[in-house]
Amino acid sequence: MKTLICTLLLGLCAGFVQAAEKDKSFTIKFSHVVADDTPKGQGALLFKQLVAERLGGRVQVEVYPNSSLYGDANELQALQNGDVQMLAPSLAKFSQYTQQLQVFDLPFLFDDLDSVNRFQKGAKGRQLLSAMEKHNVTGLAYWHNGMKQLAANRALIRPNDAAGLSFRIQPSPVIESQFAQLGAKAVKLPFAETPNALRAGTIQGTENTWSNIHSQHYVEQLPYLTESNHGVLDYMLVSNTQFWYSIPHAIRMELEDIIVEVTYTVNQAAEQQNQNDRQKLLAGGKAQVTALNEAEREAWRGAMRPVWQQYEGEIGADIIRAAERANRSSKSLASY
Ligand code: LMR
């Protein structure tokens, strides 16, 4: 009799636990470092909106832009600790977990975002989304920002114009070496600290996309912009692996569908957003934009290119070749 009562009670408890699990709701804190009116800022807000429309009650998304919750220095640690559930750091910010993603930082590897897109959609690109699983970081998608331009307090037309300047960079060894090739100093600084460093004059240059240059008002101190398109700044949307797979299957599938939709929208809009910000910078009257001609571009390519060989071992020759192929196919497609 006693055994029967115990069994019944245990069954009842299990039923309650299952029902509670079924109705459990989730909060996704999505922290990022840029302004709302940028490709990533817009993507985060669209994600929040679609989740509210389709999963309201079960999943709630809170977006924290402009490093208002966590910044470059601590956001990945916060993700691993479970203090935030979603981030979209630049691909240049993962080198502590995997060196392979540094392929995206190699200068003059990709001519344009279409080439970047082809690589990300190919086998190697998709494989890189899971390169950090053992660190409890799951890649969910790539989001574009755009191609990087140079900004400085003096005109940068030839590579040796950069010699002697201190450039704020993202924390990527490849980018550090790229500036070393120019005889310049590279200073790894969190994004949110860059405006202060510029005001203090401790840095005299940087590289970034039109959208970040515009939204962070870099031209106040760095009015000389060189349209170099020498590299890419893209993001990986990531979650805490344990958290992600703890979400019930049906809800997770819905979230993944939403991510596909948001990724499509972000990636369609990013180039246009950057071009709009380029126009605003030109119209603002403070920026002096120099577009490099082919010979000048070739000189920058020649100066920065040795970095490829330097990092081939760490990144993997197979990954670099796959990226090159994705880039080459843009030329063959364009020529038809
Ligand atoms: C930077 O640090 O310059 C960028 O990674 C910021 C961003 O998220 O676009």
Side-chain angles (χ1 to χ4, degrees):
M1 184 64 178
K2 236 181 180 171
T3 325
L4 182 65
I5 292 174
C6 279
T7 312
L8 282 174
L9 279 176
L10 277 177
L12 211 60
C13 283
F16 279 137
V17 171
Q18 264 176 10
E21 276 293 307
K22 213 171 123 256
D23 295 336
K24 196 170 154 195
S25 62
F26 297 84
T27 298
I28 296 179
K29 289 188 181 164
F30 187 155
S31 172
H32 68 82
V33 301
V34 291
D36 281 334
D37 60 344
T38 57
K40 177 163 60 180
Q42 292 292 294
L45 291 174
L46 179 61
F47 177 68
K48 175 184 162 114
Q49 180 198 322
L50 295 185
V51 170
E53 283 168 16
R54 298 186 200 160
L55 287 166
R58 297 303 307 277
V59 184
Q60 202 202 339
V61 177
E62 296 170 3
V63 176
Y64 298 91
N66 288 317
S67 309
S68 54
L69 187 61
Y70 293 100
D72 283 336
N74 52 9
E75 65 176 14
L76 277 160
Q77 189 58 55
L79 185 83
Q80 287 175 313
N81 294 347
D83 295 330
V84 287
Q85 290 69 36
M86 219 176 240
L87 305 170
S90 147
L91 295 164
K93 292 181 180 165
F94 293 108
S95 59
Q96 55 183 315
Y97 302 129
T98 172
Q99 294 175 333
Q100 295 178 321
L101 281 172
Q102 289 189 91
V103 65
F104 289 100
D105 297 332
L106 290 176
F108 292 100
L109 174 55
F110 298 109
D111 290 342
D112 49 32
L113 280 188
D114 283 346
S115 307
V116 177
N117 217 27
R118 264 193 300 277
F119 174 64
Q120 290 172 345
K121 290 197 161 138
K124 291 277 179 224
R126 282 181 282 123
Q127 203 178 312
L128 291 178
L129 287 171
S130 36
M132 297 177 288
E133 301 254 304
K134 67 170 183 285
H135 297 284
N136 200 24
V137 176
T138 288
L140 301 167
Y142 290 107
W143 283 3
H144 292 327
N145 183 332
M147 301 305 285
K148 292 184 290 189
Q149 320 301 336
L150 293 163
N153 65 355
R154 65 180 190 225
L156 303 179
I157 312 297
R158 290 166 299 273
N160 60 7
D161 293 333
L165 296 184
S166 291
F167 284 80
R168 177 270 165 175
I169 62 159
Q170 305 178 85
S172 153
V174 167
I175 299 177
E176 192 172 17
S177 300
Q178 168 196 289
F179 282 103
Q181 288 296 323
L182 306 174
K185 190 169 166 222
V187 183
K188 293 178 186 164
L189 258 193
F191 188 61
E193 287 175 27
T194 306
N196 274 344
L198 282 173
R199 278 189 289 270
T202 53
I203 51 171
Q204 303 87 39
T206 192
E207 52 161 33
N208 223 308
T209 60
W210 295 116
S211 95
N212 282 343
I213 292 172
H214 177 257
S215 63
Q216 300 299 307
H217 310 289
Y218 289 163
V219 289
E220 300 290 333
Q221 291 83 23
L222 309 177
Y224 296 95
L225 306 181
T226 304
E227 189 162 19
S228 50
N229 291 309
H230 63 280
V232 64
L233 194 161
D234 262 18
Y235 306 112
M236 189 182 286
L237 182 70
V238 291
S239 186
N240 175 307
T241 309
Q242 252 175 342
F243 165 78
W244 194 250
Y245 290 102
S246 74
I247 301 175
H249 186 258
I251 297 184
R252 187 155 34 89
M253 291 300 104
E254 183 67 51
L255 284 171
E256 287 180 3
D257 278 350
I258 292 173
I259 288 170
V260 169
E261 211 172 310
V262 175
T263 299
Y264 179 79
T265 307
V266 170
N267 289 352
Q268 286 290 310
E271 175 68 25
Q272 194 53 50
Q273 270 175 289
N274 272 292
Q275 289 310 317
N276 292 347
D277 286 337
R278 178 183 178 278
Q279 284 309 323
K280 285 185 205 156
L281 283 162
L282 285 171
K286 286 187 179 151
Q288 296 214 23
V289 180
T290 305
L292 296 177
N293 64 34
E294 213 22 69
E296 288 160 348
R297 207 174 135 74
E298 209 38 55
W300 284 89
R301 193 198 308 272
M304 291 176 167
R305 178 68 195 241
V307 170
W308 285 36
Q309 215 176 0
Q310 204 178 332
Y311 286 90
E312 186 170 294
E314 287 181 17
I315 295 171
D318 55 332
I319 295 177
I320 300 178
R321 295 296 91 77
E324 276 191 290
R325 278 194 299 275
N327 196 46
R328 249 190 249 121
S329 55
S330 77
K331 289 182 194 127
S332 52
L333 285 178
S335 63
Y336 282 103

